[in-house]
């Protein structure tokens, strides 16, 4: 089965519909599926719900879909870097469901693993626990969180082979594997597609079983907070 | 003289023991890394890294290598990378020995509020709720009072909670306090600060 497509638009062809639920990888602007987000903007798909740790910045990442009002709801842990997001949220145009970061990651992982719910201590006694089932285990209180299954996953990896086995690079891995796992269909963008057989099987981070379509492209990979030290400090 | 922010960070570094895996929050907690000395401490960054190194030299920034504050950083020879679900698995699973975090308010029962002020812009809790619920020991570093001079150590938190009964120890500019089942216990006073000064500056019960 051929998984490699020529462009982000081709790879998304037939997968997009208004009102759909998309899980996206990335942390801040690190490891975000920037080519697929741009293609979704061009496609004009509306009323999207995104499970994504962050919402990008005004002109990059999911932020570009906020500018075009394509997003109906965000499920995120932190959205502090985006003025347009705040404007739409405060005016009631955008729904927001805050999830603790680890709960969001585990909801994706669990959903992809066929686990519809799990109990966690995270958020007990806070607003996050309101309305959720509480249960005692060994004299500790836990709350029930639900697994996420998305209509579509969009993910960024470093390298893929032709069968979709993926390798990520440094902290750009972040939410990409759990996001990939939780989608009914998963489209991945990579910096390089290499011939099948050229990746060391022991070094695969995410097996191709989770990956349905792959594109290769040039990435801007914008840096959000450029922090450095002077050489003389060393 | 009460401690300044660097001295608070230096005091917090004394909480860390050889071999510990530790998560440092944003702000003053980040400064703690400057004072660990010869101790073998591995820093976790919850976006998916153990063994966090210092900022890169100018020109060597890597967009694929950032910390949880989205700042460019470097790796060490011990560094390991992993995905977010694995990262919070080790946090939730109690594998991280300690987290050192900032706070807006702490209650005498160890409730922590550090993520949201109602009526102001809400940015989100990020990984803070997971950290305080999961790590072995939660150490808070914060100023003892707010900019109006009001105690940040309260009988009950007024702000939405990050976690309930989660804080173990609080390091402020006035000293070190432990959360006990009866109230806050003064473990140490900053130089020149008396027990009476500490009690006068604190709304929470001190035992």
């Amino acid at each position: 089965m051929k998984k490699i497509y020529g462009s982000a638009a081709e790879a998304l062809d037939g997968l997009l519909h208004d009102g759909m639920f998309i899980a996206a990888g990335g942390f801040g602007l690190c490891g975000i599926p920037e080519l697929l987000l741009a293609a979704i903007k061009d496609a004009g798909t509306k009323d999207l719900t995104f499970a994504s740790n962050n919402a990008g910045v005004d002109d990059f990442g999911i932020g570009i879909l906020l500018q075009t009002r394509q997003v109906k709801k965000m499920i995120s842990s932190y959205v502090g870097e985006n003025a347009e997001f705040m404007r739409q949220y405060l005016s009631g145009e955008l729904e927001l469901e805050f999830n603790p970061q680890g709960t969001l990651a585990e909801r994706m992982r669990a959903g992809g693993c066929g686990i519809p719910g799990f109990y966690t201590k995270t958020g007990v006694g806070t607003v996050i626990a309101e309305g959720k089932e509480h249960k005692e285990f060994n004299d500790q209180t836990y709350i029930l969180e639900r697994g996420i299954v998305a209509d579509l996953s969009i993910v960024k990896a470093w390298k893929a082979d032709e069968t979709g086995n993926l390798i990520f690079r440094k902290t750009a891995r972040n939410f990409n594997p759990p996001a990939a796992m939780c989608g009914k269909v998963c489209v991945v963008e990579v910096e390089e597609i290499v011939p099948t057989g050229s990746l060391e099987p022991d070094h695969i981070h995410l097996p191709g079983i989770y990956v349905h379509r792959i594109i290769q492209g040039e990435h801007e990979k914008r840096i959000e907070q450029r922090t450095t030290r002077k050489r003389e400090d060393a | 003289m009460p401690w300044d922010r660097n001295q608070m960070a230096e005091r917090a570094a004394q909480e860390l023991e050889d071999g510990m895996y530790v998560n440092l929050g944003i702000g003053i907690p980040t400064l703690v890394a400057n004072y660990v000395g010869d101790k073998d401490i591995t820093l976790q960054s919850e976006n998916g890294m153990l063994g966090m190194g210092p900022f890169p030299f100018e020109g060597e920034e890597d967009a694929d290598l950032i910390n949880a504050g989205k700042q460019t950083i470097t790796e060490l020879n011990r560094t390991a990378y992993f995905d977010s679900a694995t990262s919070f698995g080790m946090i939730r699973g109690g594998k991280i020995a300690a987290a050192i975090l900032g706070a807006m308010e702490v209650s005498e029962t160890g409730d922590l509020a550090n993520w949201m002020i109602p009526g102001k812009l809400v940015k989100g809790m990020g990984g803070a709720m997971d950290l305080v619920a999961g790590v072995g020991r939660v150490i808070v570093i914060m100023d003892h009072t707010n900019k109006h001079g009001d105690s940040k150590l309260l009988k009950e938190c007024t702000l939405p909670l990050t976690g309930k009964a989660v804080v173990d120890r609080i390091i402020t500019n006035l000293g070190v306090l432990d959360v006990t089942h009866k109230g806050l216990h003064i473990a140490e006073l900053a130089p020149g600060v008396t027990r009476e000064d500490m009690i006068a500056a604190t709304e929470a019960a001190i035992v």
Side-chain angles (χ1 to χ4, degrees), chain A residues 223 225-227, chain B residues 30 55 65-73:
Chain A
I223 291 175
Q225 306 268 354
R226 190 177 294 273
T227 45
Chain B
T30 307
F55 292 151
L65 184 43
I66 63 169
N67 64 17
K70 287 136 189 164
Q71 299 170 311
T72 47
I73 48 162

Side-chain angles (χ1 to χ4, degrees), chain A:
Chain A
M1 195 186 88
K2 183 181 163 300
K3 293 187 178 179
I4 298 169
Y5 287 71
S7 69
E10 284 174 40
L12 292 170
D13 186 40
L15 300 181
L16 300 177
H17 59 87
D18 291 350
M20 72 186 303
F21 182 12
I22 301 176
F27 180 92
L29 301 181
C30 180
I32 59 172
E34 54 181 81
L35 305 176
L36 293 162
L37 288 169
I40 292 170
K41 179 187 175 185
D42 292 342
T45 319
K46 295 191 300 288
D47 296 326
L48 300 171
T49 294
F50 269 96
S52 170
N53 189 54
N54 310 95
V57 294
D58 282 334
D59 63 342
F60 200 57
I62 291 175
I64 63 171
L65 301 177
L66 293 166
Q67 285 184 344
T68 51
R69 314 284 171 89
Q70 287 172 260
V71 182
K72 182 182 73 178
K73 179 178 177 181
M74 292 294 309
I75 303 172
S76 303
S77 86
Y78 192 85
V79 295
E81 328 294 348
N82 193 314
E84 176 62 15
F85 181 100
M86 280 300 163
R87 196 200 62 71
Q88 290 186 24
Y89 173 59
L90 293 172
S91 69
E93 296 166 55
L94 183 67
E95 288 174 58
L96 172 60
E97 177 187 322
F98 274 129
N99 280 195
Q101 192 173 143
T103 295
L104 179 58
E106 188 63 14
R107 290 184 69 194
M108 291 181 181
R109 195 197 71 84
C113 294
I115 298 169
F118 58 93
Y119 291 97
T120 176
K121 265 194 295 189
T122 302
V124 171
T126 76
V127 293
I128 292 302
E130 288 173 9
K132 289 176 182 160
E133 183 197 327
H134 288 58
K135 194 174 170 90
E136 306 280 317
F137 295 89
N138 302 320
D139 298 326
Q140 299 247 33
T141 305
Y142 295 75
I143 54 172
L144 178 65
E145 295 282 3
R146 310 295 293 262
I148 284 174
V149 177
D151 297 316
L152 171 69
S153 298
I154 56 172
V155 162
K156 156 76 172 50
W158 183 37
K159 290 182 181 180
D161 70 15
E162 294 152 314
T163 72
N165 290 320
L166 300 184
I167 293 181
F168 300 90
R169 187 170 174 276
K170 302 184 188 286
T171 58
R173 193 180 322 183
N174 57 60
F175 273 82
N176 282 297
M181 292 164 76
C182 79
K184 292 173 191 162
V185 182
C186 174
V187 183
V188 179
E189 59 181 69
V190 298
E191 293 174 47
E192 187 182 5
I193 298 173
V194 299
T196 300
S198 60
L199 297 178
E200 182 63 43
D202 269 334
H203 293 175
I204 305 293
H205 293 139
L206 191 75
I209 190 169
Y210 295 107
V211 175
H212 304 97
R213 300 183 180 188
I214 314 159
I215 56 159
Q216 174 183 307
E218 291 290 319
H219 288 80
E220 177 184 337
K221 299 213 288 185
R222 196 183 292 186
I223 291 175
E224 200 161 340
Q225 306 268 354
R226 190 177 294 273
T227 45
T228 60
R229 63 190 152 132
K230 294 250 186 283
R231 275 194 193 274
E232 43 271 36
D233 294 349

Side-chain angles (χ1 to χ4, degrees), chain B residues 138-205:
Chain B
V138 174
I139 299 158
V140 164
I141 307 186
M142 65 175 190
D143 286 325
H144 206 93
T145 54
N146 65 22
K147 60 177 185 276
H148 306 297
D150 302 324
S151 175
K152 294 171 69 174
L153 295 154
L154 304 172
K155 292 191 180 307
E156 282 185 35
C157 291
T158 63
L159 298 169
L161 296 184
T162 309
K164 199 162 180 61
V166 292
V167 176
D168 295 290
R169 176 164 267 203
I170 307 144
I171 297 170
T172 78
N173 49 318
L174 300 185
V176 180
L177 302 103
D178 285 323
V179 178
T180 73
H181 62 281
K182 290 178 189 158
L184 302 181
H185 171 77
I186 300 173
E188 191 176 329
L189 293 162
V193 176
T194 66
R195 184 179 163 82
E196 288 66 38
D197 295 336
M198 175 82 90
I199 291 169
T202 307
E203 184 202 289

